[in-house]
Amino acid sequence: MFDSQSTPSKLPNRPGVGYKPQHYADLIEDPGTVSWLEIHAENYMGDGGRPIAQLRQLSERFPISVHGVGLSIGGEGALDADHLARLKHLVDWLNPTVFSEHLAWSTHDGAFLNDLLPLPYTDATLQRVCDHINQLQDTINRQMMLENPSSYLAFDESTWSEPDFLREVASRTGCGLLLDVNNVFVSATNLNYDPRAYINEYPLECVGEIHLGGHDEDEDDHGKPLLIDSHGAPIVDPVWALLDHTLSLSGEKPILIEWDTDVPDWATLHDEALRADAALAKIATGVAA
Amino acid sequence: MSVTQSDFRGAIMDGGKDRPEGLSDAKGHPAGRRFDVYRNNVAVSLTDALATGFPTIAKLIGTENFNAIAGVFLRQSPPSSPMMMHYGEGFPEFLEGFEPLAHLGYLADVARLELAMRRAYHAADAEPINPDALSALPPERLTELVMTFAPAVSLLRSPWPIHAIWAFNMQDGPKPQGISQDVIILRPGFDPEPHALNAGAYEFITALMAGGTLGAAAAVATDDAPNFDLSATLGLLLTGNALNSIDLPS
Ligand SMILES: [Fe+2]
C-alpha cells in the first residue's frame, strides 16, 4: 500500500518544463529558473539512439518526472501487460523522481487512439481505476500521481464529482495527484461551474505536482465557449489567477509548464517558467493571492 | 444510460455514425459537436504522426492528398500499441493496395525506406569495431572473416530509384533516373543515413548478415556483379559504423 499523505511531493517546489529535444542545447547551457524536467514515457521506450542518450544525460543534471500518456488507466479492458512492462523497464533504469498518468482511457479492443478520452464517474469506474492504479503501482513498485482531465462533455450516468472521485481514488490506492490547473479552467468553462469552487473541494494535500498549459478557444452548437486543451499556446491570465488561488490554499508546489505543440523557442518557454516562479515567490513571502 | 467505450470508439472513428447518447453539455443539451473534439483530436494526432513518420511520401503526393489518405489508413489501421514511434508499420502495404495511387508504384518502397530510417533512429546502440582491427588481421585469413552488424543497419531492395527519390525530395539531390536501387540504412552516430549500394553490394551484405564468411560473401557478390567493388563496400560499412564485431572462427 502506498501512502498518499506521506510522500506527495518529491520534486522541488520550483518551475519545471516539459522537455522538448529542440531545447536540449539551451537547457544544457543555462536552464535559468527551470529546475526539473518532465518527459512523456512513451517517447523513451525505444531501444537506443539519441532520445535515450539525451535522457540519460539530462537525468544526471535534473530531477525527472515521467509522465505516461498511453496506459489507459480508465480503460474498460485490462491494462496492456506489454506496456506495463515497458513502463517498469523505463522507471527501473531511469529511476525518475516521480511518475504520473491520466484519469482517462486511450486503448479499447487493441486499438490505441492517441488521445485522452473521458470516463463517467461511477462506483464501477472508480473500482476499475483503483484496480488499474494498484496494478501499476505494484508493477513499478512506487507511488504514481493521477492527473485530472480536460472535459468537453459530461456523462449523464456520473454520480461522483471529479474532486470527490479523485479523493476517493487517492485514499483507496495511496496514489498522489497531479493537479492540472489549466484542465480545471477548461473543464469548468466547458461544463459551467466555478473553477475556484473545484479547487476548494480538491484534495490539495495529495498534490505532488501542478500542470499549467495553454488552450484553444472554440464554440459549441449553442454558441457557448468550448475550450480545448492544446498545450500549444501561452497560459492565459485567468489560469495564472487560478494558480495563485490554488497556491494560496496548498502552499508551494512543483509547477510544470506544458507546451507540446507549436513548441516555442527557449526564451518564450522560459518566460512562462519565470511567471510560475513569481507565483511561487508570492506564496513564499506570504503575499496574499 | 451507460456509454460503453466500444460505442465511444466506434463514433470517434466513424464520423458517419451517430454520437453516443448519454453525453451532454451539463446543461441538458446533447453533447453535439463537443463530442467532435475527440473525433478531431484522434484524427489529427494520428495524421500528424504519419506525416512526421513519412515526410517524403507527404512531399511526393502533397499535404492535402496525404491527409486524406492518412484518414483512410488510420481508420482501418489505428495504432495497436501506445508506442507511437512504431505507428505506420503497415503503411507501405496499405499504399501498395490503395487503388487511387496505383500509378505511383514507387510510393510503397519509399515508405519502406522511411520506416527503416525511423527504426534505425530508435535502434539499440552498438559499439562499432575499430577499423584498425581489420588491418591487424593476417591478410591470408581475411576470407574466413565473419562479422555482426549494428542493430540500426538494414537493407532495402527496390525496382524503383528509392534512394534518389528520397534524396531529391529531402536533400535537394539530382532528379531521379528510372533505375532500380538497393539501399543500406546506416547510423554512424545518432542520425540514420540511407546510402545507395553499388552492384553486388546487396548480395554481399546479405550474405554477411546471414553469417557467411567474407570470402563466400564476396564470391556471391562477384557472381551477381563481376564489377563488385569489395573495398568500397567495406569502406562504406566501416565509415558508417555498421559493424560491431569481426571474428576469425578457429
Ligand atoms: Fe497536464
Side-chain angles (χ1 to χ4, degrees):
Chain A
M1 180 69 185
F2 295 83
D3 182 356
S4 60
Q5 308 299 312
S6 66
T7 52
S9 186
K10 294 181 223 142
L11 292 164
N13 289 330
R14 303 276 312 137
V17 295
Y19 172 63
K20 297 291 154 207
Q22 52 266 56
H23 297 142
Y24 181 78
D26 292 300
L27 258 172
I28 292 293
E29 195 186 300
D30 179 14
T33 195
V34 171
S35 307
W36 55 279
L37 301 174
E38 185 156 287
I39 57 135
H40 287 179
E42 285 72 13
N43 293 339
Y44 298 89
M45 289 180 169
D47 295 327
R50 180 179 286 119
I52 304 284
Q54 282 192 345
L55 179 56
R56 225 179 263 285
Q57 288 189 318
L58 291 168
S59 71
E60 284 163 18
R61 254 189 95 169
F62 299 94
I64 304 284
S65 158
V66 173
H67 193 46
V69 297
L71 187 59
S72 199
I73 280 177
E76 279 171 11
L79 294 180
D80 176 343
D82 292 340
H83 201 59
L84 275 173
R86 286 190 286 261
L87 285 171
K88 176 173 167 47
H89 175 71
L90 176 61
V91 166
D92 281 352
W93 78 255
L94 181 62
N95 192 20
T97 308
V98 291
F99 177 86
S100 54
E101 250 285 356
H102 297 84
L103 179 58
W105 63 279
S106 48
T107 297
H108 183 71
D109 226 1
F112 172 72
L113 301 179
N114 202 30
D115 192 28
L116 299 169
L117 300 167
L119 60 151
Y121 302 140
T122 66
D123 291 348
T125 60
L126 177 66
Q127 187 59 51
R128 192 167 76 216
V129 165
C130 289
D131 289 346
H132 287 166
I133 290 176
N134 286 333
Q135 192 186 356
L136 172 68
Q137 292 187 139
D138 289 344
T139 303
I140 63 174
N141 196 28
R142 58 163 72 203
Q143 184 191 37
M144 67 157 278
M145 295 187 288
L146 186 67
E147 177 175 358
N148 57 298
S150 271
S151 299
Y152 309 118
L153 46 76
F155 287 79
D156 296 347
E157 67 198 278
S158 285
T159 54
W160 289 75
S161 78
E162 193 171 277
D164 285 347
F165 190 91
L166 288 165
R167 176 186 286 105
E168 190 62 20
V169 169
S171 105
R172 286 194 197 180
T173 65
C175 77
L177 297 177
L178 192 170
L179 172 59
D180 189 316
V181 172
N182 176 62
N183 288 357
V184 172
F185 183 77
V186 165
S187 300
T189 306
N190 291 341
L191 301 181
N192 202 32
Y193 59 79
D194 174 8
R196 288 181 178 233
Y198 179 105
I199 297 290
N200 296 346
E201 286 169 41
Y202 193 93
L204 293 169
E205 66 281 5
C206 300
V207 172
E209 177 181 338
I210 286 177
H211 271 183
L212 288 179
H215 57 254
D216 296 340
E217 296 181 15
D218 201 350
E219 283 182 355
D220 75 359
D221 303 274
H222 307 279
K224 295 279 183 289
L226 177 58
L227 303 185
I228 299 170
D229 185 31
S230 65
H231 299 173
I235 298 151
V236 298
D237 286 343
V239 170
W240 287 111
L242 191 57
L243 173 70
D244 288 340
H245 176 71
T246 304
L247 294 178
S248 74
L249 298 173
S250 69
E252 294 173 90
K253 295 287 180 186
I255 300 176
L256 183 87
I257 309 297
E258 283 190 297
W259 203 323
D260 296 324
T261 59
D262 294 325
V263 176
D265 62 14
W266 174 249
T268 307
L269 186 64
H270 187 256
D271 281 350
E272 298 280 81
L274 281 176
R275 214 168 154 182
D277 213 1
L280 286 166
K282 268 191 283 187
I283 295 303
T285 57
V287 178
Chain B
M1 174 87 219
S2 166
V3 184
T4 67
Q5 290 179 358
S6 175
D7 293 341
F8 210 99
R9 176 194 155 182
I12 282 181
M13 295 308 256
D14 183 353
K17 272 201 177 138
D18 286 344
R19 302 161 181 131
E21 282 178 42
L23 304 173
S24 77
D25 66 352
K27 279 171 278 183
H29 305 113
R33 58 177 299 203
R34 289 158 176 268
F35 184 81
D36 300 351
V37 174
Y38 299 110
R39 282 181 168 153
N40 189 56
N41 282 352
V42 170
V44 168
S45 79
L46 296 181
T47 300
D48 284 354
L50 291 168
T52 304
F54 299 98
T56 312
I57 303 297
K59 207 161 171 197
L60 282 165
I61 61 177
T63 305
E64 212 169 301
N65 286 329
F66 186 88
N67 290 351
I69 289 160
V72 178
F73 176 74
L74 69 90
R75 284 173 177 85
Q76 119 182 13
S77 306
S80 56
S81 97
M83 295 282 281
M84 288 300 291
M85 66 179 69
H86 297 320
Y87 186 46
E89 298 270 359
F91 197 51
E93 288 69 32
F94 169 83
L95 290 172
E96 225 155 34
F98 194 65
E99 199 50 44
L101 292 176
H103 60 294
L104 305 175
Y106 49 81
L107 282 184
D109 280 353
V110 173
R112 287 188 179 98
L113 184 150
E114 300 205 284
L115 207 47
M117 299 262 287
R118 180 146 49 110
R119 282 195 202 109
Y121 185 74
H122 294 288
D125 305 313
E127 190 64 41
I129 62 158
N130 182 341
D132 297 342
L134 259 188
S135 36
L137 296 170
E140 71 279 6
R141 293 199 58 199
L142 273 183
T143 54
E144 300 162 45
L145 198 65
V146 293
M147 44 194 80
T148 61
F149 287 76
V153 176
S154 64
L155 289 173
L156 296 140
R157 163 157 276 186
S158 176
W160 304 95
I162 53 171
H163 182 272
I165 293 170
W166 172 83
F168 178 70
N169 285 282
M170 304 307 283
Q171 308 250 301
D172 283 326
K175 209 164 161 34
Q177 306 296 313
I179 49 164
S180 62
Q181 271 186 326
D182 296 332
V183 175
I184 187 168
I185 310 291
L186 299 171
R187 197 184 87 189
F190 286 138
D191 294 308
E193 297 173 356
H195 290 266
L197 290 170
N198 293 322
Y202 181 94
E203 284 75 11
F204 175 70
I205 298 166
T206 302
L208 289 175
M209 283 178 161
T213 64
L214 185 67
V220 172
T222 314
D223 218 28
D224 180 76
N227 59 341
F228 169 64
D229 189 338
L230 174 64
S231 64
T233 305
L234 276 178
L236 177 67
L237 295 179
L238 288 173
T239 55
N241 286 342
L243 306 175
N244 62 359
S245 80
I246 53 172
D247 192 29
L248 276 178
S250 42

